[in-house]
Amino acid sequence: MKMKTGMKMPLGSKHAKILVLMAKDSREDELDCESVAENMDSYAEYVLNSGESSRLILLIENHLKLCKDCAEEFKLLLGALKASERLL
Amino acid sequence: MDEISWLIWAFAVSDAPVERFLTKKNWIRTISLNSSELILLFCYNSPDMTRSSELRPIPTRHPRSDREWIESLAPDHADFNSALTDLREYLWNGIRHTFKGSGKIGEEHLEDFCQEALMRVLSKRNSYSGKSRFTTWAMKVAVNLVLSEIRKKTWQDVSLDAFDDTEPFLDASRGNGLFSPQERKLFRKEMAELCNKLIQESLTDRQRTALVYHMKYGMPLEEIARRTGSNRNSIYKLLHDARMKLKQEFERSGVDRDDISALA
């Protein structure tokens, strides 16, 4: 494992607070990154077209709140779709 | 038709800026020719296309249905070149707009990545399930590839020795005006001790390590996975389990979300 382990003082104040809030939002039935990636395109259309909410939508939103990597990817996807929309 | 000839043709028959058609052979950027000159150059360089009758007419832009996209992107389809040109333009426009100026990567790399993204969309098009429009799906594939490449490039040479894990857990000088300085200091001190204790005692070493590198240093899940010989989903699950464990411990300890929010 190419990672340093055994850290004694892991997080600064702002990260500690984020962690507490994230812990509160955590749930057993969270979607994983793979499931969110699979549905990110249909979720993007839901957001762009103000579609109808569903349990899947809620789970995706929950995941995006907890996973900053997927959240970043989704934000970039929305930006790219908006930029290219005029070409269609 | 070789790649350069295709590029020249694609540029000549469209009204798109020349930079849309740059590839790894980006010599086109260094010359400045109008469409007619490019067609001429193209004819000189492509003996099999020198007869004007073989030049394809300027494609009429019409919205393709998802089915039309899939069908026309088959290499033997009559509309293949036109569909490929349109798809590349569509992806490039989105990718360039989104990533250019992010400071994360140079435009020359973006061009390469966009080209790779186009290839990936072509190779994966049969896995398109129809949950969204084809173009939305294609953009998702492209953004995922470009972002993954950027993350890899950003992190591949980062040494973990550069990270300082001795940063104090909580900084008592921060906070807003909702609490008196004494209250804030005391609360922060108590929270610091509690969080430190829970992270140290409740999480496994793997969970703690992944959590710190991801949250504190912003290391992407994919990079943690690469360094630990795992995959992104497994790292997400590792962090999910850590959060669930901490959630239980916070609830057991009576930590109130509103109190934490008030200390922003």
Side-chain angles (χ1 to χ4, degrees):
Chain A
M1 187 173 181
K2 302 170 193 169
M3 306 285 280
K4 286 197 293 186
T5 57
M7 296 173 177
K8 298 297 179 194
M9 290 191 286
L11 300 180
S13 57
K14 77 173 178 188
H15 297 120
K17 183 193 152 196
I18 292 170
L19 179 63
V20 176
L21 294 176
M22 287 176 71
K24 294 280 181 185
D25 285 330
S26 298
R27 48 196 285 175
E28 290 290 355
D29 60 351
E30 275 173 35
L31 293 181
D32 56 23
C33 296
E34 206 171 291
S35 305
V36 170
E38 196 178 310
N39 291 287
M40 196 176 277
D41 46 344
S42 48
Y43 180 65
E45 291 186 349
Y46 161 81
V47 171
L48 291 172
N49 304 322
S50 305
E52 204 170 306
S53 186
S54 66
R55 182 171 180 273
L56 178 63
I57 294 293
L58 294 176
L59 287 174
I60 291 174
E61 286 172 346
N62 173 257
H63 181 94
L64 294 180
K65 198 152 64 165
L66 295 169
C67 180
K68 64 180 181 180
D69 286 9
C70 287
E72 180 187 24
E73 192 168 330
F74 179 67
K75 189 179 165 190
L76 292 169
L77 174 61
L78 273 190
L81 288 172
K82 285 175 185 170
S84 283
E85 199 173 342
R86 64 181 179 81
L87 293 177
L88 293 177
Chain B
M1 198 186 323
D2 64 28
E3 186 180 27
I4 293 299
S5 301
W6 178 85
L7 283 168
I8 294 170
W9 172 82
F11 173 65
V13 299
S14 77
D15 56 358
V18 68
E19 61 265 29
R20 295 246 169 80
F21 298 101
L22 294 176
T23 68
K24 290 173 184 175
K25 299 181 184 68
N26 56 4
W27 56 270
I28 287 180
R29 182 168 47 180
T30 64
I31 61 176
S32 176
L33 300 173
N34 61 34
S35 297
S36 304
E37 290 168 320
L38 272 172
I39 290 173
L40 192 61
L41 179 63
F42 163 66
C43 292
Y44 273 112
N45 281 280
S46 301
D48 59 332
M49 294 291 285
T50 50
R51 286 166 294 170
S52 59
S53 62
E54 289 185 20
L55 287 174
R56 295 173 63 88
I58 295 174
T60 305
R61 290 272 163 73
H62 67 93
R64 291 181 179 84
S65 68
D66 297 330
R67 175 185 279 270
E68 283 173 329
W69 272 113
I70 294 292
E71 288 176 354
S72 59
L73 285 172
D76 55 350
H77 194 276
D79 195 32
F80 175 73
N81 283 345
S82 169
L84 195 64
T85 303
D86 289 349
L87 182 60
R88 190 182 195 286
E89 185 177 349
Y90 175 78
L91 295 179
W92 173 238
N93 196 63
I95 295 298
R96 184 176 56 172
H97 172 86
T98 305
F99 290 95
K100 188 182 175 186
S102 66
K104 292 180 175 177
I105 197 143
E107 189 163 351
E108 69 281 6
H109 293 299
L110 268 187
E111 291 160 9
D112 290 345
F113 293 157
C114 190
Q115 190 71 14
E116 281 179 45
L118 182 65
M119 295 300 112
R120 181 171 293 184
V121 168
L122 288 179
S123 67
K124 290 181 71 173
R125 71 184 189 284
N126 290 333
S127 67
Y128 166 66
S129 65
K131 287 182 194 169
S132 65
R133 288 192 301 176
F134 176 78
T135 46
T136 307
W137 173 83
M139 190 65 84
K140 177 187 77 170
V141 173
V143 167
N144 175 266
L145 182 140
V146 176
L147 183 58
S148 294
E149 292 295 335
I150 288 175
R151 284 173 175 161
K152 197 187 298 178
K153 206 169 176 54
T154 304
W155 285 91
Q156 64 187 1
D157 298 324
V158 174
S159 165
L160 299 183
D161 293 334
F163 297 139
D164 175 17
D165 67 355
T166 60
E167 179 187 338
F169 189 81
L170 281 184
D171 177 359
S173 67
R174 297 183 53 160
N176 61 17
L178 295 176
F179 297 85
S180 70
Q182 290 79 13
E183 285 173 330
R184 193 165 62 235
K185 192 172 178 182
L186 182 63
F187 187 80
R188 282 184 168 275
K189 184 170 180 296
E190 287 174 352
M191 280 302 300
E193 289 169 355
L194 177 64
C195 288
N196 230 343
K197 182 170 176 286
L198 294 181
I199 287 174
Q200 291 298 327
E201 293 179 1
S202 304
L203 304 187
T204 66
D205 207 31
R206 285 188 75 227
Q207 288 173 331
R208 189 164 46 247
T209 302
L211 187 139
V212 170
Y213 279 112
H214 184 58
M215 287 195 65
K216 182 175 179 178
Y217 302 122
M219 185 180 283
L221 300 181
E222 283 171 357
E223 180 63 18
I224 297 174
R226 189 183 70 81
R227 294 186 187 226
T228 57
S230 183
N231 61 59
R232 177 169 167 172
N233 240 21
S234 299
I235 299 299
Y236 184 82
K237 179 74 168 58
L238 186 72
L239 292 176
H240 168 257
D241 292 346
R243 282 188 281 104
M244 290 303 293
K245 182 68 181 167
L246 287 173
K247 180 179 185 176
Q248 286 176 4
E249 297 298 331
F250 286 137
E251 285 170 356
R252 193 174 297 162
S253 306
V255 174
D256 187 272
R257 180 187 182 125
D258 294 335
D259 288 343
I260 301 294
S261 299
L263 282 170

